[in-house]
Amino acid sequence: MKMKTLFVAFIIIATLVSYAYPSFGQKNVNDEPLVNPGPEMEALREISPASQDYNIYILENLPPKYVAYLTTCGDKMGSSGIGKCNEDVVKEILTNEPVSRECCLKVVRAGKECYIEFRKFVFRLYQLKRFASQVYFRTNEVWNRCSAEVEYPSSS
């Protein structure tokens, strides 16, 4: 009887601890890159006719004001959204390779809302949409790191 009571108490305590600290026993998957740098990252830049059609369809079905807003945001972060800084931010989100301080400065100057909206759009594109559900946390991590690095307050 005493052993059964101890076993039940152990199970109850273990259950309570696992609810209070769900990260115990789990490795932090946010530290692992979603894509390995090199050939795997380069493959994401490949655009097939079908993926290009998909991307055009997405863009054509956005409200014109939103497209103008995204264009402005992209310009603030580097040449119509296709500049090196924007590519580097996507690379950091996917591979954990930090962007330069100069790029961080562009990101922070664009503003958090602009940065977040532009990232949401980028991860709707055909080549990157498979990562859309996994990048929200990393997108915020990049913002927080950049805003801290250029000594601007982080607006959450």
Side-chain angles (χ1 to χ4, degrees), residues 79-121:
S79 137
S80 297
I82 57 171
K84 179 150 177 41
C85 183
N86 280 305
E87 290 179 21
D88 289 350
V89 170
V90 169
K91 189 174 181 182
E92 177 171 348
I93 291 168
L94 294 176
T95 67
N96 298 336
E97 290 183 15
V99 298
S100 67
R101 186 178 193 291
E102 181 184 333
C103 183
C104 276
L105 188 58
K106 289 180 181 179
V107 164
V108 173
R109 281 185 181 158
K112 187 171 185 178
E113 182 182 324
C114 200
Y115 165 76
I116 296 293
E117 283 302 313
F118 193 79
R119 293 300 141 222
K120 284 181 189 176
F121 169 72

Side-chain angles (χ1 to χ4, degrees), residues 9-24:
F10 173 76
I11 294 297
I12 290 171
I13 290 170
T15 302
L16 291 174
V17 168
S18 69
Y19 280 113
Y21 301 99
S23 62
F24 277 171

Side-chain angles (χ1 to χ4, degrees), residues 50-84:
S51 63
Q52 189 171 8
D53 289 345
Y54 175 87
N55 293 343
I56 290 169
Y57 175 80
I58 291 290
L59 194 57
E60 288 177 345
N61 286 291
L62 292 174
K65 284 185 177 182
Y66 188 65
V67 173
Y69 175 71
L70 290 175
T71 301
T72 302
C73 290
D75 287 342
K76 288 179 182 178
M77 291 182 281
S79 137
S80 297
I82 57 171
K84 179 150 177 41

